[in-house]
């Protein structure tokens, strides 16, 4: 008890009991190598910092995360622990120099990890945190290879993700390999045990299946995966309600023509893209139809958003896929909205999110994939998808 008081006496934020329990379990039960797979909103960022800074007392720590949440980490460090984080930006590091000896925490995004590797190796991190760990599900991606080097050189590794696997068990292997490279050495061993691996008529292996799931769950728990659900830890929350609202398209004949005679329709609309479409007609057709459906139904969706804003005093998050749709929604409600897409970067993105959360006048956040992870929509209960992404997960 006295040790707990000593550890927490200088903390700015008091942890929930489950956050303290998880931080201790990671630090002492799993020896600083674990996977926090909690539902969004349960404070995985805070728990990981609590583990490394208060229990293991380690530094320096390297946090690798999506670009959209770099400054969330910087703010969380300062807000909860009074720590100043070094946020790395740009794909061209300085030629000379290094980090100050007082550096305790460095935050970098996956996209620029490769050019900064020499600097990070020189830092000799005692802990690595991979935020949104499903970003390194593919072992052959450049960012995954860089993370392997970092994790191999660090005695402690913590992976965070509310969606540790989006579609199938095959996506988990590399993440577990980063935590325990000796225990999860071979992907093919994993594939045959948990992915229902089978040969195709073309001589390749299909690992898109799933098998032995109860056994997989026990194995993950044994080797550091901690999963908590929001409904268990915050039981007062209402259940999520999903509603599909059909909307009409403005020019149904044009859409039907695109379905029936895609190449003829495209030849009139965009002749320069016809040759590309002919090489992969079906796939290109799906992409065009997806975008066309979004554009032709935009008027009805804007009317739905307007009705929502007039009929309630709630805030609304609107997700789209194409930047044209995002801009159209923002242009329709310029005084009530903020935009979070690939064109809004760095601190501007965090300021947009802060304005949406904190300003009563800002009632609409419109975004695409850039807004999908790493921030907490505190006090917001309504989300509308005006376009669906390719992968529903």
């Amino acid at each position: 008890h006295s040790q707990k008081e000593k550890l927490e006496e200088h903390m700015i934020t008091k942890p929930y009991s489950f956050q303290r329990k998880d931080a201790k379990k990671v630090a002492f039960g799993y020896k600083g190598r674990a996977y926090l797979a909690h539902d969004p909103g349960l404070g995985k960022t805070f728990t990981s910092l609590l583990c490394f800074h208060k229990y293991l007392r380690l530094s320096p720590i390297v946090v690798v995360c999506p670009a959209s949440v770099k400054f969330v980490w910087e703010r969380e460090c300062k807000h909860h622990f009074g720590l100043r984080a070094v946020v790395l930006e740009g794909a061209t590091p300085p030629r000379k120099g290094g980090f100050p000896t007082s550096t305790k925490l460095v935050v970098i995004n996956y996209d620029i990890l490769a050019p900064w590797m020499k600097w990070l190796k020189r830092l000799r991190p005692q802990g690595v945190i991979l935020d949104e760990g499903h970003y390194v599900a593919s072992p052959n991606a450049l960012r995954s290879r860089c993370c392997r080097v970092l994790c191999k050189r660090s005695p402690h590794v913590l992976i965070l993700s509310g969606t540790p696997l989006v579609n199938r068990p095959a996506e988990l292997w590399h993440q577990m390999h980063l935590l325990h490279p000796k225990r999860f050495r071979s992907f093919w061993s994993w594939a045959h045990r948990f992915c229902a691996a089978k040969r195709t008529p073309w001589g390749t292996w299909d690992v898109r299946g799933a098998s032995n799931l109860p056994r997989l769950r026990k194995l993950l728990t044994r080797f550091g995966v901690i999963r908590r659900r929001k409904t268990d830890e915050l039981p007062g929350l209402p259940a999520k309600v999903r509603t599909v609202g059909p909307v009409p398209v403005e020019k149904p004949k044009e859409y039907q023509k695109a379905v029936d005679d895609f190449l003829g329709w495209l030849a009139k609309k965009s002749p320069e893209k016809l040759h590309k479409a002919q090489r992969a007609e079906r796939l290109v057709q799906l992409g065009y139809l997806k975008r066309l459906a979004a554009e032709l139904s935009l008027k009805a969706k804007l009317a739905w958003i307007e009705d929502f804003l007039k009929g309630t005093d709630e805030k609304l998050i609107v997700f789209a896929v194409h930047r044209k749709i995002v801009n159209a929604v923002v242009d329709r409600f310029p005084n009530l909205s903020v935009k979070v897409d690939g064109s809004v970067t760095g601190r501007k993105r965090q300021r947009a999110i802060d304005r949406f959360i904190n300003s009563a006048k800002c009632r609409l956040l419109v975004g695409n994939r850039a807004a999908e992870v790493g921030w907490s929509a505190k006090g917001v209960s309504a989300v509308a998808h005006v376009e669906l992404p390719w992968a529903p997960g």
Side-chain angles (χ1 to χ4, degrees), residues 5 19 36 73 77-78 147 150 172 232 248 261 271 282 323 376 383:
E5 289 181 344
Q19 291 174 325
L36 290 183
W73 275 93
C77 289
K78 185 176 181 181
C147 287
L150 274 181
L172 263 178
D232 297 330
D261 180 20
R282 192 60 185 166
R323 191 171 294 182
S376 178
V383 180

Side-chain angles (χ1 to χ4, degrees), residues 114-133:
W116 282 93
M117 283 300 294
K118 185 181 293 186
W119 281 64
L120 295 175
K121 289 178 188 176
R122 209 178 298 155
L123 183 64
R124 296 183 180 178
Q126 295 302 297
V128 172
I129 300 174
L130 303 180
D131 193 12
E132 304 299 342

Side-chain angles (χ1 to χ4, degrees), residues 123-359:
L123 183 64
R124 296 183 180 178
Q126 295 302 297
V128 172
I129 300 174
L130 303 180
D131 193 12
E132 304 299 342
H134 54 275
Y135 274 53
V136 292
S138 173
N140 297 322
L142 177 59
R143 60 189 176 198
S144 298
R145 300 200 301 270
C146 291
C147 287
R148 275 203 300 275
V149 174
L150 274 181
C151 293
K152 187 176 181 180
R153 289 169 171 261
S154 172
H156 304 91
V157 177
L158 192 53
I159 302 179
L160 319 178
S161 178
T163 52
L165 60 88
V166 179
N167 296 304
R168 50 187 67 92
E171 300 169 7
L172 263 178
W173 174 78
H174 187 247
Q175 299 174 71
M176 296 305 296
H177 175 77
L178 293 176
L179 286 179
H180 300 287
K182 292 183 180 179
R183 178 62 182 81
F184 300 100
R185 188 188 305 271
S186 167
F187 170 73
W188 291 110
S189 174
W190 176 282
H192 284 289
R193 292 172 70 190
F194 305 119
C195 304
K198 58 184 179 181
R199 275 195 178 276
T200 68
W202 301 275
T204 58
W205 285 93
D206 183 353
V207 295
R208 294 174 296 175
S211 54
N212 298 319
L213 296 185
R215 186 179 177 186
L216 174 59
R217 180 174 181 173
K218 289 181 181 179
L219 187 69
L220 294 176
T221 303
R222 179 184 170 192
F223 285 95
V225 177
I226 306 174
R227 173 75 167 172
R228 290 188 184 273
R229 299 193 308 169
K230 189 179 289 187
T231 52
D232 297 330
E233 305 305 329
L234 303 172
L237 291 176
K240 186 182 296 183
V241 177
R242 291 182 174 88
T243 304
V244 177
V247 293
V249 295
E250 286 187 81
K251 302 174 182 178
K253 290 184 179 180
E254 180 179 350
Y255 183 81
Q256 193 59 46
K257 182 174 178 58
V259 173
D260 297 338
D261 180 20
F262 174 65
L263 294 180
W265 172 83
L266 187 62
K268 292 182 179 179
K269 284 285 184 180
S270 184
E272 67 278 4
K273 296 179 180 179
L274 181 60
H275 178 65
K276 177 184 175 182
Q278 288 173 326
R279 288 181 295 174
E281 178 181 351
R282 192 60 185 166
L283 185 61
V284 175
Q285 180 182 10
L286 289 173
Y288 271 94
L289 291 178
K290 197 169 182 295
R291 182 178 300 182
L292 183 61
E295 293 176 358
L296 294 180
S297 61
L298 181 60
K299 184 176 180 180
K301 292 169 183 174
L302 292 175
W304 184 94
I305 295 172
E306 185 172 8
D307 289 342
F308 177 93
L309 295 175
K310 287 182 178 179
T312 73
D313 57 0
E314 294 184 48
K315 292 175 180 281
L316 176 67
I317 300 171
V318 174
F319 279 115
V321 175
H322 298 101
R323 191 171 294 182
K324 181 177 180 180
I325 303 298
V326 172
N327 290 335
V329 178
V330 173
D331 291 343
R332 177 64 182 80
F333 306 98
N335 299 322
L336 301 175
S337 65
V338 292
K339 177 172 70 172
V340 179
D341 66 2
S343 68
V344 183
T345 59
R347 298 184 189 276
K348 291 182 180 179
R349 182 176 295 179
Q350 189 57 51
R351 283 197 291 268
I353 292 173
D354 289 343
R355 182 180 168 223
F356 175 64
I357 297 298
N358 300 320
S359 172

